[in-house]
Amino acid sequence: MNLAVYREKKSIGRQSNIVEAIQPWIFVGPTLVLLLLFLMVPALSTLSLSFQESDGTLSSRNYAFLWDSSALGYLQFRLAMRNSLMWLILVPSLCIVLGLLIAVLADSVRWGVVAKTFIFVPLAISFVGAAVIWRNIFAGGGIEALETINGSTPSYQIGLLKSLLGHTAEYNEPLYSLKFWGNFFLMWILVWVQTGFAMVIFSAALRGVPEDTIEAATIDGANPFQMFFRIKLPQIYSTVLVVWTTLVILVLKVFDIPYALSANDDDKLLLATMMENARNNWSIGGDNVDNLYAAIAVMLMLTVVPNMVFNGWRIRREQKELGN
Amino acid sequence: MITKTLSHFVLGLIVFIWVVPFVALVSTSLRSETEAKTAGFWTAFTPTELGHRFSTHDKGEKIKIFTMNGNIFDRLNKDKDSFIVSGEINSILIKQRIADPEKPGKTKLVRKLVPAGELMNVRGGDFIFSKDGSFTWTFSEETLPKPKNLDVFINQNPIFGTDAYIEVLFDNKNVPNALISSFIVTIPATIIPITIAAFAAYAFAWMQFPGRDWLFVIVVSLMVVPTQLAFLPILQGFSGIASWATALNQWLTDCEVKDTCQVASKSFASLWITHTAFGLPLAIYLLRNYIVGLPKELLQSARIDGASHLQIFTRLIIPLSVPALASFSIFQFLWVWNDLIVALYIGPNNSSDLVFPIRLQKQLGTFKDQLHLLNASAVISMIVPVLVFLSMQKYFIRGLLAGSVKGG
């Protein structure tokens, strides 16, 4: 291209400085407006709602469940926090251990890809769907009134696990309704869904471990366990951390599974289901239902904050490495 | 060698645990109502003893007889065109009054299982049946017996049918409506955010403006804000808009306030826009990282050739970013299709417009004794996302990795 043509094109294509300055804002404008209107302003407005009475006067009454044992939601909040803590510890760690195990094993056998697909599929289905699926496994006895259906039947245990455990004929609760222990069956459903996520990430990370470190370890006579724990795991440590934060945030927000299977059971509450209960069932307790709801939402947000800070820090660091 | 065998075994066991629930789901959906609620899904594949009830003959049928010959299977399968019962008759449960040994002069009701080939007393006649289902009912003199309902245990052969699917898809509008609603919600809620996010991602990647880097960090950190925090104010906002629209509608068309011109605050449109906003942070994160990775020389030479940002964006960036766009669309599609909570708060709540997860959640209650229908409905809800997922797995994985493994 000769210089004259180049100059000409440049002068045609060159946008004026004003356009140059405004254009980026047109590109990001819709995003900023939507995020402002649908996330940031509502979040702040929920925060302010949580410190108000229903008539708008300033009050800390909505948070009374934190210290006042006679306040609405006192017991539920404690149960929800207890359960959240159990979910927080068990679900991410089980997903990570299983995900790592499957990633390593699938790499060593020829049908690994098929195996991984099976583990992976639950990621595509809804939590409610997963609840329906696992209901078949965790169910209790068939139906209560045997006589109402065609006669009766000697084998009427319809839950696989109870049947394997040898429970027979009497009508009994599904396993996820058991007091306290029911929580673990609900957790397992989430583990079943999310292990595929951990597995995929770890699979890729393990493939990224430099060959020479593996070769060196092989030459030194490392056995498979040493290879994994001494060589591979330390090198994918940061990936494990990322998966862990993602899962923690997911668990804190989890709603569908306990809502679908044990919506009104205080013993199975998590913060998100407690919010829903506050909105639907506690109206007898006062007129500040929405404000109480807001207060629980703020508590939920507080549990996420440490992760948010960590995530923000990670993204900043990543952008520095990527962008510069 | 031992570790190799152990690998196969452990992985096999894990895959088995992962797959059994799917087997339970599909097999339950293909069984009859009685089977599904009386015997576990694992009994569906082998002959299993199940209870049935049959009547010896039809109610209106008046026959004077000494002997009646019939077949239990014929009686059971009368009027049936699916789930035809076959197998071997084990026993009949009979309730009889016998003299009470503890209270002389009184009788008591006892239940007894009578095996095939054993004579029993039914309405004063001798009733005997064999394993193949044929029965003979003999009386000492000519009688006009009333039909008798008998509970029979049959070692039943496995049988599957698609009746549950036909029932949920065609006999009732709930599931087809849920399917349609889910499509109505999901498609725009996937396309709108990706369009908006692509522009923003381009600006964050390749345009210069004050505060760019930190706006980006703010946008991306919104990814972890629990959406629950925003529901109530959003809902209030939509009700505000709806009452405005209602007033406007009233003013323009002077219709009655009730029913006809009421604009709903919870609608498909409110779901589209809310899902769009909630999806934007991840979309921008994925797309921006992808666009930043495209060769800088491309942009520079295009700029030198005099292309405007809009031209570069539409002609260059969009075609080159197809993999990243595909990654995000799958995430958003699956997320919106499977979402329960946003739809519960913001979505339409009249029965015909419910999205599938809400419908399914309701069916967990209404179908608790019709497990074949519950499972069939769940299968239908999963077909679309699983197909999308399996056919575009590559992009899904790429998106997951871009979000979590540096440089993946």
Side-chain angles (χ1 to χ4, degrees):
Chain A
M1 191 186 301
N2 69 47
L3 201 64
V5 177
Y6 170 69
R7 284 226 175 95
E8 195 188 348
K9 282 218 165 176
K10 199 173 171 188
S11 62
I12 294 168
R14 218 252 173 87
Q15 297 166 332
S16 70
N17 282 341
I18 297 172
V19 173
E20 219 41 16
I22 291 176
Q23 210 171 26
W25 297 104
I26 297 174
F27 274 51
V28 294
T31 296
L32 297 183
V33 169
L34 276 174
L35 289 178
L36 208 65
L37 285 183
F38 283 84
L39 271 170
M40 295 167 87
V41 172
L44 292 176
S45 135
T46 297
L47 185 67
S48 86
L49 209 62
S50 76
F51 285 106
Q52 286 170 13
E53 291 285 337
S54 55
D55 59 8
T57 51
L58 214 61
S59 149
S60 62
R61 182 163 75 106
N62 306 310
Y63 289 96
F65 60 78
L66 288 178
W67 58 82
D68 181 359
S69 61
S70 65
L72 201 60
Y74 179 82
L75 188 71
Q76 283 87 345
F77 181 71
R78 267 140 197 84
L79 285 171
M81 287 311 279
R82 178 200 73 180
N83 295 341
S84 294
L85 202 65
M86 296 196 302
W87 280 70
L88 268 187
I89 294 169
L90 281 172
V91 174
S93 32
L94 259 175
C95 286
I96 285 174
V97 169
L98 280 169
L100 273 172
L101 185 66
I102 298 164
V104 171
L105 292 179
D107 248 3
S108 68
V109 301
R110 236 196 271 156
W111 52 288
V113 179
V114 184
K116 284 203 277 190
T117 308
F118 280 121
I119 310 288
F120 200 39
V121 167
L123 270 183
I125 64 182
S126 66
F127 288 139
V128 188
V132 172
I133 289 183
W134 279 91
R135 197 186 176 288
N136 295 316
I137 312 289
F138 293 155
I143 56 165
E144 202 161 1
L146 276 184
E147 295 289 333
T148 58
I149 56 153
N150 307 341
S152 62
T153 159
S155 66
Y156 86 111
Q157 186 62 254
I158 57 166
L160 177 63
L161 203 54
K162 278 212 160 180
S163 170
L164 290 178
L165 294 173
H167 291 257
T168 48
E170 329 89 61
Y171 177 77
N172 39 41
E173 286 180 318
L175 287 164
Y176 50 77
S177 298
L178 289 176
K179 196 161 167 52
F180 183 72
W181 299 105
N183 283 298
F184 297 96
F185 294 96
L186 296 176
M187 288 178 212
W188 172 256
I189 300 177
L190 189 59
V191 171
W192 178 75
V193 174
Q194 290 297 329
T195 295
F197 161 71
M199 175 199 75
V200 168
I201 309 265
F202 292 145
S203 215
L206 285 172
R207 243 176 278 131
V209 170
E211 276 301 318
D212 47 345
T213 58
I214 297 172
E215 266 165 36
T218 319
I219 291 164
D220 290 348
N223 67 35
F225 290 96
Q226 289 170 327
M227 180 74 90
F228 177 72
F229 286 105
R230 300 263 177 84
I231 310 295
K232 289 181 177 170
L233 195 56
Q235 296 192 65
I236 62 163
Y237 172 73
S238 66
T239 308
V240 176
L241 213 60
V242 170
V243 171
W244 185 76
T245 20
T246 312
L247 288 172
V248 161
I249 291 169
L250 182 90
V251 166
L252 286 170
K253 296 197 281 188
V254 76
F255 170 78
D256 306 22
I257 295 174
Y259 180 73
L261 290 178
S262 53
N264 292 317
D265 187 353
D266 280 356
D267 187 50
K268 313 290 179 307
L269 280 183
L270 292 171
L271 281 177
T273 40
M274 181 186 167
M275 285 166 72
E276 180 63 21
N277 276 10
R279 212 170 66 109
N280 290 338
N281 308 336
W282 296 0
S283 42
I284 9 119
D287 49 1
N288 64 334
V289 179
D290 282 357
N291 307 74
L292 193 60
Y293 173 95
I296 307 169
V298 171
M299 297 313 295
L300 178 64
M301 180 69 214
L302 286 180
T303 58
V304 181
V305 163
N307 276 288
M308 223 176 122
V309 172
F310 173 76
N311 233 25
W313 169 77
R314 180 177 68 84
I315 288 165
R316 277 274 286 283
R317 198 190 51 182
E318 192 179 274
Q319 293 311 323
K320 268 187 203 140
E321 286 171 22
L322 205 89
N324 51 62
Chain B
M1 204 51 232
I2 296 169
T3 40
K4 197 85 189 164
T5 323
L6 199 66
S7 302
H8 283 286
F9 177 73
V10 174
L11 191 62
L13 186 71
I14 294 173
V15 170
F16 179 74
I17 293 172
W18 248 252
V19 171
V20 164
F22 281 114
V23 176
L25 172 80
V26 175
S27 62
T28 307
S29 74
L30 292 171
R31 301 175 84 194
S32 71
E33 175 172 354
T34 318
E35 286 176 66
K37 70 177 164 190
T38 52
F41 70 91
W42 60 94
T43 64
F45 306 100
T46 49
T48 306
E49 188 174 64
L50 284 175
H52 291 273
R53 176 170 288 173
F54 74 99
S55 68
T56 51
H57 52 287
D58 291 339
K59 218 172 180 181
E61 214 178 321
K62 290 212 167 75
I63 29 168
K64 281 202 161 175
I65 42 151
F66 287 106
T67 308
M68 176 193 275
N69 287 310
N71 187 294
I72 296 173
F73 288 117
D74 292 347
R75 298 299 305 163
L76 277 174
N77 294 326
K78 188 168 63 79
D79 309 327
K80 263 194 189 174
D81 41 20
S82 59
F83 297 118
I84 303 293
V85 180
S86 66
E88 228 174 47
I89 311 281
N90 277 353
S91 54
I92 285 181
L93 181 78
I94 185 119
K95 282 182 227 166
Q96 303 177 295
R97 298 213 151 261
I98 58 160
D100 193 333
E102 285 161 22
K103 295 175 195 153
K106 298 253 172 103
T107 57
K108 73 170 189 178
L109 197 65
V110 290
R111 300 161 63 141
K112 193 189 165 205
L113 278 175
V114 181
E118 196 177 297
L119 207 62
M120 60 180 155
N121 184 323
V122 175
R123 295 210 198 284
D126 291 335
F127 191 96
I128 189 162
F129 67 95
S130 63
K131 282 188 176 295
D132 64 7
S134 57
F135 66 83
T136 324
W137 198 3
T138 323
F139 295 88
S140 51
E141 54 189 67
E142 200 176 46
T143 11
L144 193 122
K146 278 198 270 171
K148 172 78 179 171
N149 285 332
L150 289 168
D151 293 335
V152 59
F153 291 114
I154 302 174
N155 202 23
Q156 201 178 309
N157 295 331
I159 183 157
F160 295 101
T162 52
D163 293 34
Y165 290 91
I166 291 164
E167 191 170 338
V168 292
L169 279 175
F170 301 109
D171 292 1
N172 190 310
K173 281 261 166 282
N174 285 339
V175 167
N177 277 341
L179 211 52
I180 294 166
S181 305
S182 277
F183 273 113
I184 295 179
V185 171
T186 308
I187 293 171
T190 307
I191 294 171
I192 304 171
I194 202 148
T195 315
I196 297 178
F199 277 99
Y202 175 80
F204 281 126
W206 279 3
M207 286 168 125
Q208 295 298 331
F209 58 96
R212 182 186 77 167
D213 291 341
W214 53 275
L215 268 179
F216 178 69
V217 171
I218 292 176
V219 166
V220 172
S221 25
L222 287 176
M223 230 174 349
V224 292
V225 172
T227 47
Q228 280 99 332
L229 210 58
F231 287 152
L232 277 191
I234 290 178
L235 202 55
Q236 282 166 1
F238 280 128
S239 337
I241 295 171
S243 56
W244 252 78
T246 306
L248 189 71
N249 198 3
Q250 223 177 324
W251 184 68
L252 286 175
T253 59
D254 69 56
C255 54
E256 297 294 318
V257 181
K258 291 270 181 299
D259 303 334
T260 46
C261 62
Q262 189 79 28
V263 178
S265 60
K266 298 168 113 195
S267 66
F268 288 134
S270 19
L271 267 185
W272 294 336
I273 191 165
T274 309
H275 274 306
T276 298
F278 290 173
L280 279 175
L282 177 69
I284 291 171
Y285 177 64
L286 288 179
L287 290 175
R288 191 264 182 182
N289 279 3
Y290 190 86
I291 294 172
V292 155
L294 296 174
K296 269 214 173 76
E297 300 74 44
L298 261 179
L299 172 89
Q300 279 156 359
S301 60
R303 291 292 280 169
I304 289 168
D305 285 351
S308 70
H309 275 301
L310 194 65
Q311 286 167 329
I312 298 176
F313 177 71
T314 51
R315 306 248 178 91
L316 213 60
I317 300 302
I318 293 296
L320 283 174
S321 307
V322 166
L325 295 172
S327 291
F328 173 74
S329 350
I330 301 167
F331 274 115
Q332 182 75 356
F333 184 92
L334 292 178
W335 159 247
V336 176
W337 184 277
N338 291 333
D339 161 76
L340 173 75
I341 191 165
V342 181
L344 210 56
Y345 279 85
I346 316 275
N349 49 7
N350 48 318
S351 175
S352 61
D353 291 342
L354 294 181
V355 294
F356 224 132
I358 300 186
R359 175 53 65 197
L360 202 55
Q361 191 264 326
K362 287 193 186 298
Q363 285 174 338
L364 265 167
T366 53
F367 285 162
K368 74 174 191 296
D369 286 337
Q370 289 157 302
L371 297 173
H372 62 313
L373 299 182
L374 176 67
N375 283 273
S377 175
V379 170
I380 295 167
S381 81
M382 290 167 200
I383 289 174
V384 176
V386 168
L387 283 183
V388 167
F389 180 76
L390 289 180
S391 58
M392 298 181 76
Q393 224 185 92
K394 193 175 78 182
Y395 296 107
F396 184 84
I397 293 177
R398 194 179 289 180
L400 274 186
L401 296 178
S404 324
V405 184
K406 190 182 72 71

